[in-house]
Coordinates of all heavy atoms in Angstrom, one line a residue:
A1 N 50.6 -4.4 -16.9 CA 49.8 -3.8 -15.7 C 49.2 -5.0 -14.8 O 49.2 -4.8 -13.5 CB 48.6 -3.1 -16.3
T2 N 48.8 -6.2 -15.5 CA 48.3 -7.2 -14.6 C 49.4 -7.7 -13.6 O 49.1 -7.9 -12.5 CB 47.9 -8.4 -15.5 OG1 46.8 -8.0 -16.4 CG2 47.3 -9.5 -14.7
S3 N 50.7 -7.9 -14.2 CA 51.7 -8.4 -13.3 C 52.0 -7.5 -12.1 O 52.3 -8.0 -11.0 CB 53.0 -8.8 -14.2 OG 53.4 -7.5 -14.7
S4 N 51.9 -6.2 -12.4 CA 52.2 -5.3 -11.4 C 51.0 -5.3 -10.3 O 51.3 -5.1 -9.0 CB 52.5 -3.9 -11.8 OG 51.4 -3.5 -12.4
E5 N 49.8 -5.5 -10.7 CA 48.7 -5.6 -9.8 C 48.7 -6.9 -9.0 O 48.4 -6.9 -7.7 CB 47.4 -5.4 -10.6 CG 47.1 -4.0 -11.1 CD 47.0 -2.9 -10.1 OE1 46.4 -3.2 -9.0 OE2 47.4 -1.8 -10.3
I6 N 49.1 -7.9 -9.7 CA 48.9 -9.3 -8.9 C 50.3 -9.4 -8.1 O 50.1 -9.8 -7.0 CB 49.0 -10.4 -10.1 CG1 47.6 -10.5 -10.7 CG2 49.2 -11.7 -9.4 CD1 47.5 -11.4 -11.8
G7 N 51.5 -8.8 -8.6 CA 52.5 -9.1 -7.9 C 52.9 -8.2 -6.8 O 53.6 -8.6 -5.8
G8 N 52.1 -7.1 -6.8 CA 52.4 -6.1 -5.6 C 54.0 -5.7 -5.5 O 54.6 -5.2 -6.4
K9 N 54.5 -6.0 -4.4 CA 55.9 -5.7 -4.1 C 56.9 -6.6 -5.1 O 57.9 -6.3 -5.3 CB 56.3 -5.9 -2.8 CG 55.6 -4.9 -1.7 CD 56.0 -5.1 -0.4 CE 55.4 -4.1 0.4 NZ 55.7 -4.4 1.9
L10 N 56.3 -7.7 -5.5 CA 57.1 -8.6 -6.3 C 56.7 -8.6 -7.8 O 56.7 -9.5 -8.4 CB 57.0 -10.0 -5.8 CG 57.6 -10.4 -4.3 CD1 57.2 -11.7 -4.0 CD2 59.0 -10.1 -4.3
S11 N 56.3 -7.4 -8.2 CA 55.7 -7.3 -9.6 C 56.7 -7.6 -10.5 O 56.4 -8.2 -11.7 CB 55.1 -5.9 -9.8 OG 56.2 -4.9 -9.7
A12 N 58.1 -7.4 -10.4 CA 59.0 -7.6 -11.3 C 59.1 -9.2 -11.6 O 59.3 -9.7 -12.6 CB 60.4 -7.2 -11.0
T13 N 59.0 -9.8 -10.5 CA 59.1 -11.4 -10.4 C 57.8 -12.0 -11.2 O 57.9 -12.9 -11.9 CB 59.2 -12.0 -9.0 OG1 60.2 -11.5 -8.4 CG2 59.1 -13.5 -9.0
A14 N 56.7 -11.4 -10.8 CA 55.4 -11.8 -11.4 C 55.4 -11.6 -13.0 O 55.1 -12.4 -13.6 CB 54.2 -11.0 -10.8
G15 N 56.0 -10.5 -13.3 CA 56.1 -10.1 -14.7 C 57.1 -11.1 -15.5 O 56.7 -11.5 -16.6
G16 N 58.1 -11.4 -14.9 CA 59.1 -12.5 -15.5 C 58.4 -13.7 -15.6 O 58.7 -14.4 -16.6
I17 N 57.6 -14.2 -14.5 CA 57.1 -15.5 -14.7 C 56.0 -15.5 -15.7 O 55.9 -16.4 -16.5 CB 56.3 -15.8 -13.4 CG1 57.5 -16.2 -12.2 CG2 55.5 -17.1 -13.5 CD1 57.0 -16.3 -10.9
L18 N 55.1 -14.4 -15.8 CA 54.1 -14.4 -16.9 C 54.7 -14.4 -18.2 O 54.3 -15.0 -19.2 CB 53.3 -13.1 -16.7 CG 52.2 -13.0 -15.4 CD1 51.7 -11.7 -15.3 CD2 51.1 -14.1 -15.9
N19 N 55.9 -13.7 -18.5 CA 56.5 -13.6 -19.8 C 57.2 -14.9 -20.1 O 57.0 -15.3 -21.3 CB 57.5 -12.4 -19.8 CG 57.0 -11.1 -19.9 OD1 55.9 -11.0 -20.6 ND2 57.6 -10.1 -19.3
T20 N 57.6 -15.6 -19.2 CA 58.3 -16.9 -19.5 C 57.3 -17.9 -19.8 O 57.5 -18.6 -20.7 CB 59.2 -17.4 -18.2 OG1 60.1 -16.4 -17.9 CG2 59.8 -18.6 -18.4
V21 N 56.2 -18.0 -19.0 CA 55.2 -18.9 -19.3 C 54.5 -18.6 -20.6 O 54.2 -19.5 -21.4 CB 54.2 -19.0 -18.2 CG1 52.9 -19.9 -18.5 CG2 54.8 -19.6 -16.9
G22 N 54.4 -17.3 -21.0 CA 53.7 -16.9 -22.2 C 54.5 -17.3 -23.4 O 54.1 -17.6 -24.3
N23 N 55.8 -17.1 -23.2 CA 56.7 -17.4 -24.3 C 57.0 -18.9 -24.7 O 57.5 -19.3 -25.6 CB 58.1 -16.7 -24.1 CG 58.0 -15.3 -24.3 OD1 57.4 -14.9 -25.3 ND2 58.8 -14.4 -23.6
I24 N 56.5 -19.8 -23.7 CA 56.6 -21.3 -23.9 C 55.7 -21.6 -25.1 O 56.3 -22.4 -26.0 CB 56.1 -22.0 -22.6 CG1 57.2 -21.8 -21.6 CG2 56.0 -23.4 -23.0 CD1 56.8 -22.4 -20.3
G25 N 54.7 -21.0 -25.3 CA 53.8 -21.2 -26.5 C 54.5 -20.7 -27.7 O 54.4 -21.5 -28.8
G26 N 55.2 -19.7 -27.7 CA 56.0 -19.2 -28.9 C 57.2 -20.2 -29.2 O 57.5 -20.2 -30.4
L27 N 57.6 -20.9 -28.2 CA 58.6 -21.8 -28.4 C 58.2 -23.2 -28.9 O 58.8 -23.8 -29.9 CB 59.3 -22.0 -27.1 CG 60.5 -23.2 -27.1 CD1 61.8 -22.6 -27.8 CD2 60.9 -23.5 -25.6
I28 N 57.0 -23.6 -28.5 CA 56.4 -24.9 -28.9 C 55.7 -24.8 -30.2 O 55.7 -25.8 -31.0 CB 55.4 -25.3 -27.8 CG1 56.2 -25.7 -26.5 CG2 54.7 -26.6 -28.3 CD1 55.3 -26.0 -25.3
A29 N 54.9 -23.7 -30.5 CA 54.2 -23.6 -31.7 C 54.7 -24.0 -32.9 O 54.2 -24.7 -33.8 CB 53.5 -22.3 -31.8
P30 N 56.0 -23.5 -33.2 CA 56.6 -23.8 -34.5 C 56.8 -25.2 -34.8 O 57.0 -25.9 -35.9 CB 58.0 -22.9 -34.6 CG 57.7 -21.9 -33.6 CD 56.9 -22.5 -32.5
T31 N 57.0 -26.0 -33.7 CA 57.3 -27.4 -33.8 C 56.1 -28.2 -33.7 O 55.8 -29.2 -34.6 CB 58.1 -28.0 -32.6 OG1 59.4 -27.1 -32.6 CG2 58.5 -29.4 -32.7
L32 N 55.0 -27.8 -32.9 CA 53.8 -28.6 -32.8 C 53.0 -28.4 -34.1 O 52.3 -29.4 -34.5 CB 53.1 -28.0 -31.5 CG 51.9 -28.7 -31.1 CD1 52.3 -30.2 -30.8 CD2 51.2 -28.1 -29.9
T33 N 52.9 -27.2 -34.6 CA 51.9 -27.1 -35.8 C 52.3 -28.0 -36.8 O 51.3 -28.7 -37.3 CB 51.9 -25.6 -36.2 OG1 51.6 -24.8 -35.1 CG2 50.9 -25.3 -37.3
P34 N 53.4 -28.2 -37.4 CA 53.7 -29.1 -38.4 C 53.6 -30.6 -37.9 O 53.1 -31.5 -38.7 CB 55.1 -28.9 -38.9 CG 55.7 -27.8 -38.0 CD 54.6 -27.3 -37.2
F35 N 53.8 -30.7 -36.6 CA 53.7 -32.2 -35.9 C 52.2 -32.6 -36.1 O 51.9 -33.7 -36.6 CB 54.1 -32.2 -34.6 CG 53.9 -33.6 -33.9 CD1 54.8 -34.5 -34.1 CD2 52.8 -33.7 -33.0 CE1 54.6 -35.8 -33.4 CE2 52.6 -34.9 -32.4 CZ 53.6 -35.9 -32.7
V36 N 51.3 -31.6 -35.7 CA 49.8 -31.9 -35.9 C 49.4 -32.1 -37.3 O 48.9 -33.1 -37.7 CB 49.0 -30.8 -35.2 CG1 47.6 -30.9 -35.5 CG2 49.3 -30.6 -33.8
K37 N 49.9 -31.3 -38.2 CA 49.6 -31.5 -39.7 C 50.0 -32.9 -40.2 O 49.4 -33.5 -41.0 CB 50.3 -30.5 -40.5 CG 50.2 -30.5 -42.0 CD 51.4 -30.2 -42.6 CE 51.7 -31.0 -43.7 NZ 52.7 -31.6 -44.2
D38 N 51.3 -33.3 -39.6 CA 51.8 -34.5 -40.2 C 50.9 -35.7 -39.7 O 51.0 -36.9 -40.3 CB 53.3 -34.8 -39.9 CG 54.1 -33.8 -40.6 OD1 53.7 -33.4 -41.7 OD2 55.3 -33.7 -40.1
H39 N 50.3 -35.6 -38.6 CA 49.5 -36.8 -38.0 C 48.0 -36.6 -38.2 O 47.3 -37.5 -37.7 CB 49.8 -36.7 -36.4 CG 51.1 -37.2 -36.1 ND1 52.2 -36.4 -36.1 CD2 51.6 -38.4 -35.7 CE1 53.3 -37.1 -36.0 NE2 53.0 -38.4 -35.6
L40 N 47.7 -35.7 -39.1 CA 46.2 -35.7 -39.7 C 46.1 -36.8 -40.7 O 47.1 -37.2 -41.3 CB 45.8 -34.3 -40.2 CG 45.7 -33.3 -39.0 CD1 45.5 -31.9 -39.6 CD2 44.5 -33.7 -38.0
P41 N 44.9 -37.2 -41.1 CA 44.8 -38.3 -42.1 C 45.4 -37.9 -43.4 O 45.3 -36.7 -43.9 CB 43.2 -38.4 -42.3 CG 42.7 -37.8 -41.0 CD 43.6 -36.7 -40.5
S42 N 46.2 -38.8 -44.0 CA 46.9 -38.6 -45.2 C 46.1 -38.5 -46.4 O 46.5 -38.0 -47.4 CB 48.0 -39.6 -45.4 OG 47.4 -40.8 -45.4
A43 N 44.8 -38.9 -46.3 CA 43.8 -38.9 -47.3 C 43.4 -37.3 -47.6 O 43.0 -37.0 -48.7 CB 42.5 -39.8 -47.1
W44 N 43.6 -36.5 -46.5 CA 43.3 -35.2 -46.7 C 44.4 -34.4 -47.5 O 45.6 -34.9 -47.6 CB 43.2 -34.4 -45.4 CG 42.1 -34.8 -44.5 CD1 41.1 -35.9 -44.8 CD2 41.7 -34.4 -43.2 NE1 40.2 -36.1 -43.7 CE2 40.7 -35.1 -42.7 CE3 42.4 -33.5 -42.3 CZ2 40.1 -34.9 -41.5 CZ3 41.8 -33.2 -41.1 CH2 40.7 -33.9 -40.7
S45 N 44.0 -33.4 -48.3 CA 45.0 -32.8 -49.1 C 46.1 -32.0 -48.2 O 45.7 -31.7 -46.9 CB 44.3 -31.8 -49.9 OG 43.9 -30.6 -49.1
D46 N 47.3 -31.7 -48.6 CA 48.2 -31.0 -47.8 C 47.7 -29.6 -47.4 O 47.9 -29.4 -46.1 CB 49.5 -30.9 -48.5 CG 50.7 -30.8 -47.7 OD1 50.9 -31.4 -46.6 OD2 51.6 -29.9 -48.0
L47 N 47.0 -29.0 -48.2 CA 46.5 -27.7 -47.9 C 45.6 -27.8 -46.8 O 45.5 -27.0 -45.8 CB 46.0 -27.0 -49.0 CG 45.3 -25.6 -48.9 CD1 46.4 -24.7 -48.4 CD2 44.7 -25.1 -50.0
L48 N 44.7 -28.8 -46.9 CA 43.5 -29.0 -45.7 C 44.1 -29.3 -44.5 O 43.9 -28.7 -43.4 CB 42.6 -30.0 -46.2 CG 41.5 -30.4 -45.2 CD1 40.6 -29.1 -44.9 CD2 40.6 -31.5 -45.5
R49 N 45.2 -30.1 -44.4 CA 45.8 -30.5 -43.2 C 46.5 -29.3 -42.5 O 46.6 -29.1 -41.3 CB 47.0 -31.6 -43.4 CG 46.2 -32.9 -43.7 CD 47.1 -34.1 -43.7 NE 48.1 -33.9 -44.9 CZ 49.3 -34.6 -44.9 NH1 49.5 -35.3 -43.9 NH2 50.0 -34.4 -46.0
W50 N 47.2 -28.3 -43.4 CA 47.8 -27.2 -42.7 C 46.7 -26.2 -42.2 O 46.9 -25.7 -41.2 CB 48.6 -26.4 -43.9 CG 50.0 -26.8 -44.0 CD1 50.5 -27.5 -45.1 CD2 50.9 -26.7 -43.1 NE1 51.9 -27.8 -44.8 CE2 52.2 -27.3 -43.6 CE3 50.9 -26.1 -41.8 CZ2 53.4 -27.5 -42.9 CZ3 52.3 -26.1 -41.1 CH2 53.4 -26.8 -41.6
K51 N 45.5 -26.1 -43.0 CA 44.6 -25.2 -42.5 C 44.0 -25.7 -41.1 O 43.7 -25.0 -40.3 CB 43.3 -25.1 -43.6 CG 43.7 -24.4 -44.7 CD 42.5 -24.3 -45.8 CE 42.8 -23.4 -46.9 NZ 41.6 -23.4 -47.7
V52 N 43.9 -27.1 -41.0 CA 43.3 -27.7 -39.7 C 44.3 -27.4 -38.6 O 43.9 -27.0 -37.5 CB 43.0 -29.1 -39.8 CG1 42.7 -29.8 -38.6 CG2 41.8 -29.2 -40.8
S53 N 45.5 -27.6 -39.0 CA 46.7 -27.4 -37.9 C 46.7 -26.0 -37.4 O 46.8 -25.8 -36.2 CB 47.9 -27.9 -38.5 OG 48.9 -27.9 -37.6
I54 N 46.7 -25.1 -38.3 CA 46.8 -23.7 -38.0 C 45.4 -23.2 -37.3 O 45.6 -22.4 -36.3 CB 47.1 -22.8 -39.2 CG1 48.5 -23.2 -39.6 CG2 47.0 -21.3 -39.0 CD1 49.0 -22.6 -40.9
S55 N 44.4 -23.7 -37.7 CA 43.1 -23.4 -37.1 C 43.1 -23.9 -35.6 O 42.7 -23.2 -34.7 CB 42.0 -24.1 -37.8 OG 41.9 -23.5 -39.2
L56 N 43.7 -25.0 -35.5 CA 43.8 -25.5 -34.0 C 44.7 -24.6 -33.2 O 44.2 -24.3 -32.1 CB 44.4 -27.0 -34.0 CG 44.6 -27.6 -32.7 CD1 43.3 -27.7 -31.8 CD2 45.3 -28.9 -32.8
S57 N 45.7 -24.1 -33.8 CA 46.5 -23.2 -33.1 C 45.7 -21.8 -32.7 O 45.9 -21.3 -31.6 CB 47.8 -22.8 -33.9 OG 48.6 -23.9 -34.1
C58 N 44.9 -21.4 -33.6 CA 44.1 -20.2 -33.4 C 43.1 -20.4 -32.3 O 42.8 -19.5 -31.5 CB 43.3 -19.9 -34.7 SG 44.5 -19.3 -35.9
V59 N 42.5 -21.7 -32.3 CA 41.5 -22.0 -31.2 C 42.2 -22.0 -29.8 O 41.6 -21.5 -28.8 CB 40.8 -23.3 -31.5 CG1 40.0 -23.8 -30.2 CG2 39.9 -23.2 -32.7
I60 N 43.4 -22.5 -29.7 CA 44.2 -22.5 -28.5 C 44.4 -21.2 -28.1 O 44.2 -20.7 -26.8 CB 45.4 -23.4 -28.6 CG1 45.0 -24.8 -28.8 CG2 46.3 -23.2 -27.4 CD1 46.2 -25.7 -29.2
C61 N 44.9 -20.2 -28.9 CA 45.0 -18.8 -28.7 C 43.8 -18.1 -28.2 O 43.8 -17.4 -27.3 CB 45.7 -18.1 -29.8 SG 47.4 -18.6 -30.2
L62 N 42.8 -18.5 -28.8 CA 41.4 -17.8 -28.5 C 41.0 -18.2 -27.1 O 40.5 -17.5 -26.3 CB 40.4 -18.2 -29.6 CG 38.9 -17.5 -29.3 CD1 39.0 -16.1 -29.3 CD2 37.8 -18.1 -30.3
F63 N 41.3 -19.5 -26.7 CA 41.0 -20.0 -25.4 C 41.8 -19.4 -24.4 O 41.2 -18.9 -23.3 CB 41.3 -21.6 -25.5 CG 40.9 -22.2 -24.1 CD1 39.7 -22.3 -23.6 CD2 42.1 -22.6 -23.3 CE1 39.5 -22.9 -22.3 CE2 41.8 -23.2 -22.1 CZ 40.6 -23.4 -21.6
G64 N 43.1 -19.0 -24.7 CA 43.9 -18.4 -23.7 C 43.4 -17.0 -23.6 O 43.4 -16.5 -22.5
A65 N 42.9 -16.3 -24.7 CA 42.5 -15.0 -24.4 C 41.2 -14.8 -23.8 O 41.0 -13.9 -22.9 CB 42.1 -14.3 -25.9
I66 N 40.3 -15.9 -23.9 CA 39.0 -16.0 -23.1 C 39.2 -16.1 -21.6 O 38.5 -15.6 -20.8 CB 38.1 -17.0 -23.7 CG1 37.7 -16.7 -25.1 CG2 37.0 -17.4 -22.8 CD1 36.9 -17.8 -25.8
L67 N 40.3 -16.9 -21.3 CA 40.6 -17.2 -20.0 C 41.0 -15.9 -19.2 O 40.8 -15.7 -18.0 CB 41.8 -18.0 -19.8 CG 41.5 -19.5 -20.1 CD1 42.8 -20.3 -19.9 CD2 40.4 -20.1 -19.1
W68 N 41.5 -14.8 -19.9 CA 41.7 -13.5 -19.2 C 40.5 -12.8 -18.8 O 40.5 -12.0 -17.9 CB 42.5 -12.5 -20.2 CG 43.9 -12.8 -20.3 CD1 44.7 -13.5 -21.2 CD2 44.9 -12.5 -19.3 NE1 46.0 -13.6 -20.8 CE2 46.2 -13.0 -19.6 CE3 44.8 -11.7 -18.0 CZ2 47.3 -12.7 -18.9 CZ3 46.0 -11.5 -17.3 CH2 47.2 -12.0 -17.6
I69 N 39.4 -13.2 -19.3 CA 38.0 -12.6 -18.8 C 37.9 -13.0 -17.3 O 37.3 -12.1 -16.6 CB 37.0 -13.2 -19.6 CG1 37.0 -12.7 -21.1 CG2 35.5 -12.7 -19.1 CD1 36.1 -13.3 -22.0
F70 N 38.3 -14.1 -17.0 CA 38.2 -14.6 -15.6 C 39.3 -14.0 -14.5 O 39.2 -14.4 -13.4 CB 38.1 -16.0 -15.7 CG 36.9 -16.5 -16.5 CD1 37.3 -17.1 -17.6 CD2 35.7 -16.4 -16.0 CE1 36.2 -17.6 -18.5 CE2 34.5 -16.9 -16.7 CZ 34.9 -17.4 -18.1
V71 N 40.2 -13.3 -15.1 CA 41.2 -12.6 -14.2 C 40.7 -11.5 -13.5 O 40.3 -10.5 -14.1 CB 42.5 -12.4 -14.9 CG1 43.6 -11.7 -14.1 CG2 43.1 -13.6 -15.5
H72 N 40.4 -11.4 -12.2 CA 39.9 -10.3 -11.6 C 40.9 -9.9 -10.5 O 41.4 -10.6 -9.7 CB 38.7 -10.8 -10.8 CG 37.4 -11.2 -11.7 ND1 36.9 -10.3 -12.5 CD2 37.0 -12.5 -12.0 CE1 35.9 -11.0 -13.2 NE2 36.0 -12.2 -13.0
I73 N 41.3 -8.6 -10.7 CA 42.3 -8.0 -9.9 C 41.5 -7.2 -8.8 O 40.8 -6.2 -9.2 CB 43.3 -7.2 -10.6 CG1 44.0 -8.2 -11.5 CG2 44.3 -6.6 -9.7 CD1 44.9 -7.4 -12.5
R74 N 41.8 -7.4 -7.5 CA 41.2 -6.6 -6.6 C 42.1 -5.5 -6.0 O 43.3 -5.9 -5.7 CB 40.6 -7.4 -5.4 CG 39.5 -8.4 -5.8 CD 38.9 -9.1 -4.6 NE 39.9 -9.7 -3.8 CZ 39.7 -10.5 -2.7 NH1 38.4 -10.7 -2.4 NH2 40.6 -11.1 -2.0
T75 N 41.6 -4.4 -5.8 CA 42.4 -3.3 -5.1 C 42.5 -3.6 -3.7 O 41.8 -4.5 -3.2 CB 41.9 -1.9 -5.5 OG1 40.6 -1.9 -4.7 CG2 41.7 -1.6 -6.9
E76 N 43.5 -3.0 -2.9 CA 43.7 -3.2 -1.6 C 42.3 -2.9 -0.8 O 42.0 -3.5 0.1 CB 44.7 -2.4 -1.0 CG 46.1 -2.7 -1.4 CD 47.4 -1.9 -0.9 OE1 47.2 -1.4 0.3 OE2 48.3 -1.9 -1.6
N77 N 41.6 -1.8 -1.2 CA 40.3 -1.4 -0.5 C 39.3 -2.5 -0.7 O 38.6 -2.9 0.2 CB 39.8 -0.2 -1.1 CG 40.7 0.9 -0.6 OD1 41.4 0.9 0.3 ND2 40.6 2.1 -1.5
Q78 N 39.3 -3.2 -1.9 CA 38.3 -4.3 -2.2 C 38.7 -5.4 -1.4 O 37.8 -6.2 -0.9 CB 38.2 -4.5 -3.7 CG 37.6 -3.5 -4.5 CD 37.8 -3.8 -6.0 OE1 38.7 -4.3 -6.4 NE2 36.9 -3.3 -6.7
A79 N 40.1 -5.8 -1.2 CA 40.4 -6.9 -0.4 C 40.2 -6.7 1.1 O 39.6 -7.7 1.7 CB 41.9 -7.1 -0.6
I80 N 40.3 -5.5 1.6 CA 39.9 -5.2 2.9 C 38.5 -5.4 3.2 O 38.0 -5.9 4.2 CB 40.4 -3.8 3.4 CG1 42.0 -3.9 3.3 CG2 40.0 -3.4 4.7 CD1 42.6 -2.4 3.5
Q81 N 37.6 -4.9 2.3 CA 36.2 -4.8 2.4 C 35.7 -6.4 2.3 O 34.7 -6.6 2.9 CB 35.5 -4.0 1.3 CG 35.7 -2.6 1.5 CD 35.2 -1.7 0.3 OE1 34.8 -2.3 -0.7 NE2 35.2 -0.4 0.4
A82 N 36.3 -7.2 1.6 CA 36.0 -8.5 1.4 C 36.2 -9.3 2.7 O 35.6 -10.4 3.0 CB 36.8 -9.3 0.3
K83 N 37.1 -8.9 3.6 CA 37.3 -9.6 4.8 C 36.4 -9.4 5.8 O 35.5 -9.6 6.4 CB 38.7 -9.2 5.4 CG 39.9 -9.6 4.6 CD 41.2 -9.2 5.3 CE 42.4 -9.6 4.3 NZ 43.6 -9.3 5.0

């Protein structure tokens, strides 16, 4: 729904861009998570390093979800009234 509201007449293009950018995280995460784990202090247990690495991924996802709070879509009437 967001892509159709933001994109207007180009809603299919907006939807494609949103999906592509959103899927970049799905492409990077399986490589980045073990990379982060391997670069944490080796004095930590393997389980702890995995927990920290996955927790970092969760924080990044939560940050992305919070950013959606700031997406405000104005209707055409609201845009006209704002002018």
